[in-house]
Amino acid sequence: AVDMSEWIVQATTQPATAEHFSPQGQVAKLVFDRCVNWLRLGCVPVGVIEGKPPPEKLARLQQRNGNSKGGVNHHFRALGLVAVRVMRGLGLPTVEAPGEAEAMCAALNAAGAVDGCATSDGDALLFGAKLQFKVCRLQTEIPTNCRIERCDAAEVRQMLGLRETGRQGSHE
């Protein structure tokens, strides 16, 4: 599962594409290019877009976005819908999270519906993801430029001496 928020931010902060595309075009190009690269390498991305922010995050989002409309940045939401249209146009699955995208990615991973979560947001592990891909750069043109950084929850628990419940090793 891919936290589409990251792809949207990455798309709209690339100066080279900003010269040639609107923000919607930047998102469409990046999502199309990445989906094609992932598919060429045998990976089927499942796009997850943000839903309504949880109450704990609402005040911070309202302050950051300078609005009082439920903490929703309508421009960012519109860009998320562009990403969804591109993915659906390619026949790829998308999900709208009821809250945070990384939480939905983690839920899909914990349920076995996806192999992992592509997000740099460490909250994915706290939300129950089994496998997180913090960096996932898949390129078919120059394979040596591919880079993956992954974090396996089971390995983290083992290194920290934790059981799956979050408690330390042999202490009951």
Side-chain angles (χ1 to χ4, degrees), residues 12 21-29 75 78-79 82-83 85-86:
T12 57
F21 297 99
S22 66
Q24 294 84 359
Q26 288 177 287
V27 169
K29 180 183 181 341
H75 177 69
L79 295 176
V82 169
R85 279 196 305 273
V86 170

Side-chain angles (χ1 to χ4, degrees), residues 36 59 77 105 122 150 153:
V36 168
R77 174 107 178 110
C105 290
R150 68 183 201 97

Side-chain angles (χ1 to χ4, degrees), residues 11-22:
T12 57
T13 56
Q14 293 181 2
T17 59
E19 295 176 21
H20 305 286
F21 297 99
S22 66

Side-chain angles (χ1 to χ4, degrees), residues 130-143:
K130 295 178 182 180
L131 184 62
Q132 177 187 5
F133 298 101
K134 293 183 65 162
V135 174
C136 197
R137 291 193 187 110
L138 303 178
Q139 296 184 355
T140 54
E141 297 84 27
I142 309 170

